[in-house]
Amino acid sequence: SGDEHLDFIGVLETRRSDFTALDLSHFCGGKDFFWQWTSPRGQSGGILLGINLQVFSIGAVVVGDFHIKIQLKNKEDGFEWVLIATYGAAQEDLKEAYLTELVQFCSLEVKPLLIRGDFNIIRKPSEKNNDRYNAKWPFLFNACIESLDLRELAFSGRQFTWANSLESPTFERLA
């Protein structure tokens, strides 16, 4: 309708290694956006992050295996902050590398951070509809959140954000 006011766009689990200029123009309605992306890992992952250059100046950009980190400066008031888009490893054998990279991306940052994405880790047993719960990853994830002094934004809407497609599905609220 033309009334959209998008300052940044994040698409997770793109499953794509590349985007054309036409693809990107469609995502942002033809506005002047800076784009950065990561390739998927096999059949999952991939992050696409776009920043409205009419609103923000772009500073350092760091791309990891699971994150895109961009330093931003609001053009209107000069406020500087950092946006991190994340797509956490769904594979058990990659979760440690994911959490390690999360800590590395956040620990030395002195500017305010906003981290958005799909962490692919639940924080407590009540965020799952069954008792198949491995406490290792939530414990380590919560320790990372505490050590980095991060705060989770309040969640509203559905109780769960993910489900598998089994006959008796598992439902989870992924952070």
Side-chain angles (χ1 to χ4, degrees):
S1 68
D3 295 335
E4 296 84 11
H5 180 75
L6 301 173
D7 292 336
F8 49 90
I9 299 169
V11 180
L12 304 173
E13 199 162 14
T14 63
R15 298 183 183 173
R16 292 179 62 176
S17 297
D18 203 5
F19 295 88
T20 67
L22 185 60
D23 291 334
L24 300 174
S25 180
H26 283 308
F27 282 132
C28 64
K31 293 181 180 177
D32 187 18
F33 265 60
F34 167 84
W35 294 99
Q36 184 68 57
W37 59 85
T38 65
S39 295
R41 292 178 155 309
Q43 295 297 313
S44 66
I47 301 169
L48 173 65
L49 182 59
I51 307 295
N52 187 339
L53 292 174
Q54 293 177 326
V55 177
F56 301 107
S57 297
I58 306 295
V61 176
V62 181
V63 178
D65 291 330
F66 307 98
H67 304 86
I68 298 173
K69 175 179 170 179
I70 302 179
Q71 293 183 353
L72 301 171
K73 183 176 185 178
N74 298 9
K75 288 186 174 180
E76 185 175 307
D77 62 8
F79 181 74
E80 295 183 29
W81 59 288
V82 176
L83 176 63
I84 297 176
T86 184
Y87 186 77
Q91 302 88 348
E92 192 82 9
D93 61 330
L94 296 174
K95 288 192 183 291
E96 184 176 342
Y98 169 71
L99 291 174
T100 299
E101 186 177 283
L102 175 66
V103 170
Q104 289 171 344
F105 269 52
C106 298
S107 62
L108 299 177
E109 194 56 59
V110 295
K111 295 176 183 163
L113 288 170
L114 175 63
I115 305 172
R116 285 298 299 151
D118 184 346
F119 296 88
N120 268 319
I121 300 174
I122 63 174
R123 295 190 65 196
K124 53 191 173 212
S126 63
E127 296 177 344
K128 192 169 186 172
N129 74 327
N130 60 40
D131 60 359
R132 293 189 305 271
Y133 177 76
N134 177 352
K136 175 183 178 178
W137 300 117
F139 174 79
L140 292 172
F141 184 46
N142 286 320
C144 291
I145 290 170
E146 275 188 45
S147 71
L148 295 168
D149 200 25
L150 300 175
R151 301 290 179 261
E152 184 174 1
L153 298 176
F155 181 77
S156 64
R158 303 179 297 190
Q159 180 180 359
F160 301 109
T161 60
W162 176 88
N164 61 20
S165 56
L166 299 177
E167 187 174 318
S168 179
T170 295
F171 296 96
E172 295 181 352
R173 179 182 168 250
L174 296 174

